[in-house]
Amino acid sequence: MVSEDWALIVASFFVRVGFFLFGIYQDANFKVRYTDIDYFVFHDAAKYVYEGKSPYARDTYRYTPLLSWLLVPNHYFGWFHLGKIIFVVFDLITGLIIMKLLNQAISKKRALILESIWLLNPMVITISTRGNAESVLCCLIMLTLYYLQKGSYTIAGLLYGLSIHLKIYPIIYCIPMAIFIYYRTSKQGSRAQLTSLLNIGLSTLVTLLGCGWAMYKMYGYEFLDQAYLYHLYRTDHRHNFSIWNMLLYLDSANKGSGGSNLSKYAFVPQLLLALITGCLEWRNPIFDNLLSVLFVQTFAFVAYNKVCTSQYFVWYLIFLPFYLSRSHISWRKSLLMATLWVVTQALWLSQGYYLEFEGKNVFYPGLFVASALFFLTNVWLLGQFITDIKTPVSSTSASKKNN
């Protein structure tokens, strides 16, 4: 089975190479470019860093400077696409960690099938080969969980702090992770519980505050505003699946006359759901249960986020293999759920194409209805996931998974 694991890794590598090469061809020959618009932002920001300037000299660069540093080799070696290779490497490392954790939890044959959900997933492959940096974040999150599972809480905390520095949203995982550690160490006594929680908490703060302080010393308030504060008042409306998309568009068009304040409170239902789903079913404090909870929590967070684009889906796709390893949902219902998710997403993308590439006015009813249908589908899916995760694993099913 080890040879089959490596065969999957090799196959996934060559599939990514194929996507990468086709992307270069598409950029040169088609109207719709393969390369993600964000990659141009990363690349341009890296050029400013290479020249000894601030990455924030590049308009719309709203990330940690570490991301622009990562693409400096683009300019050192003079190859625009080199950063995509870097992202693909992180993508494959993420797959290797998923493989390692799955092989500890279930049968080898079942693990191989579930590993393919990440390693051979066209959406995952497209996002990394288009030059989106989500693979870096996914890799850090999976490394955090890998060391958490091993009980190396200090290392896990250092990696967790770095992932939060890279993007704020992983901070929502602190609650389920803390609950997991609390119950996992309960038999060792309250002192062990407190020590474990302090180790991961302090090491997380060391990395998070250390990176933040270093970036602030180099780039000043502009770093805080663009990397963090901007996300509180952002009004992105282009290529946004969110149900808030239309309101954000109207707000961006009416900045001078005030506009609506409703979008400023979009985080309220999102935050409440993230907190509630992060506390799901902790009567059985095993690592597999933590990963299932993180899947549902992340799905809820993305579904209710006021900005939602395709790359956000990989935030929960990294947990999908683990969730499916414990799911009670039948394959027929799973197929229906996947079909609805894909079809409503495709409907939105068709309207987005007419708007952004054809210049057609499809805001209403086309784009609005598509956003509403995709949101309602995600709400229904979330309900199914929550019901499923609350269903106890019977001893019979558990024994089957271990065979």
Side-chain angles (χ1 to χ4, degrees):
M1 185 57 68
V2 173
S3 60
E4 292 180 5
D5 286 341
W6 280 107
L8 177 60
I9 291 293
V10 171
S12 63
F13 168 76
F14 281 109
V15 170
R16 281 162 173 77
V17 170
F19 273 68
F20 172 76
L21 294 176
F22 177 79
I24 295 176
Y25 174 79
Q26 180 175 325
D27 283 351
N29 295 278
F30 289 84
K31 179 180 178 180
V32 179
R33 299 182 68 92
Y34 184 82
T35 301
D36 195 311
I37 186 65
D38 287 343
Y39 185 74
F40 290 94
V41 177
F42 304 153
H43 176 78
D44 293 346
K47 181 180 180 182
Y48 286 111
V49 173
Y50 183 67
E51 295 173 348
K53 303 174 184 177
S54 168
Y56 300 109
R58 204 300 183 182
D59 188 35
T60 75
Y61 182 81
R62 298 186 174 102
Y63 312 89
T64 170
L66 294 181
L67 187 56
S68 63
W69 295 5
L70 195 61
L71 267 64
V72 166
N74 280 20
H75 303 281
Y76 183 83
F77 293 101
W79 189 30
F80 173 76
H81 300 285
L82 181 57
K84 297 179 185 177
I85 301 294
I86 295 173
F87 295 155
V88 166
V89 170
F90 279 100
D91 183 5
L92 289 171
I93 294 174
T94 302
L96 285 169
I97 301 169
I98 291 173
M99 181 177 289
K100 178 69 174 177
L101 293 176
L102 274 172
N103 282 333
Q104 296 176 10
I106 57 176
S107 67
K108 296 288 186 180
K109 183 178 180 180
R110 184 171 173 79
L112 195 66
I113 296 172
L114 294 176
E115 290 156 10
S116 302
I117 294 175
W118 178 269
L119 287 168
L120 297 180
N121 190 319
M123 176 172 286
V124 173
I125 297 169
T126 299
I127 286 172
S128 62
T129 54
R130 289 185 68 210
N132 193 281
E134 300 303 330
S135 62
V136 180
L137 179 63
C138 290
C139 185
L140 288 173
I141 291 172
M142 292 312 301
L143 279 172
T144 297
L145 294 170
Y146 174 76
Y147 283 102
L148 181 67
Q149 194 271 344
K150 289 172 65 71
S152 303
Y153 299 126
T154 300
I155 298 175
L158 294 173
L159 291 165
Y160 183 48
L162 186 57
S163 69
I164 299 173
H165 173 78
L166 196 67
K167 235 168 198 179
I168 303 172
Y169 90 88
I171 199 170
I172 66 175
Y173 301 149
C174 66
I175 293 177
M177 285 170 58
I179 296 173
F180 167 74
I181 294 171
Y182 177 82
Y183 280 109
R184 187 192 208 186
T185 57
S186 60
K187 294 182 180 180
Q188 301 172 30
S190 58
R191 185 173 182 178
Q193 290 175 312
L194 181 60
T195 301
S196 299
L197 289 170
L198 283 175
N199 279 344
I200 193 168
L202 290 176
S203 57
T204 298
L205 285 175
V206 165
T207 306
L208 183 59
L209 296 180
C211 289
W213 180 83
M215 297 300 104
Y216 180 78
K217 291 292 288 185
M218 284 186 277
Y219 301 108
Y221 178 77
E222 191 173 27
F223 153 68
L224 294 176
D225 181 62
Q226 294 298 296
Y228 297 120
L229 300 179
Y230 163 76
H231 298 281
L232 298 176
Y233 59 79
R234 66 188 299 186
T235 57
D236 304 46
H237 58 85
R238 284 184 172 273
H239 208 83
N240 182 2
F241 293 96
S242 173
I243 190 66
W244 298 92
N245 180 51
M246 188 68 72
L247 183 60
L248 292 176
Y249 175 79
L250 293 174
D251 282 353
S252 66
N254 296 319
K255 281 183 178 179
S257 57
S260 167
N261 289 318
L262 185 59
S263 62
K264 295 178 182 178
Y265 303 100
F267 72 92
V268 175
Q270 179 190 34
L271 181 60
L272 289 174
L273 273 172
L275 291 173
I276 293 170
T277 53
C279 299
L280 284 173
E281 292 304 289
W282 283 104
R283 290 173 297 182
N284 191 11
I286 59 175
F287 188 67
D288 291 356
N289 193 45
L290 170 65
L291 296 174
S292 295
V293 168
L294 294 183
F295 169 75
V296 176
Q297 185 187 35
T298 310
F299 190 92
F301 183 87
V302 173
Y304 281 81
N305 200 30
K306 71 176 181 180
V307 176
C308 178
T309 55
S310 297
Q311 62 262 30
Y312 289 17
F313 302 149
V314 301
W315 293 0
Y316 53 78
L317 285 178
I318 55 173
F319 303 120
L320 182 59
F322 306 102
Y323 169 79
L324 292 178
S325 71
R326 295 172 54 79
S327 176
H328 304 81
I329 299 176
S330 68
W331 69 267
R332 289 185 180 85
K333 190 171 185 179
S334 297
L335 182 60
L336 172 63
M337 293 166 70
T339 300
L340 287 174
W341 185 77
V342 171
V343 169
T344 52
Q345 185 180 160
L347 176 62
W348 192 100
L349 288 171
S350 67
Q351 300 303 305
Y353 176 82
Y354 290 138
L355 174 66
E356 296 182 23
F357 294 98
E358 301 292 336
K360 296 181 180 179
N361 184 358
V362 294
F363 285 106
Y364 187 85
L367 201 64
F368 175 76
V369 170
S371 295
L373 287 175
F374 186 64
F375 175 72
L376 291 174
T377 297
N378 278 274
V379 171
W380 179 73
L381 292 177
L382 178 60
Q384 300 305 305
F385 293 143
I386 292 175
T387 300
D388 181 48
I389 202 175
K390 289 173 69 66
T391 304
V393 179
S394 67
S395 57
T396 302
S397 61
S399 63
K400 285 181 180 179
K401 290 178 182 178
N402 290 326
N403 292 330

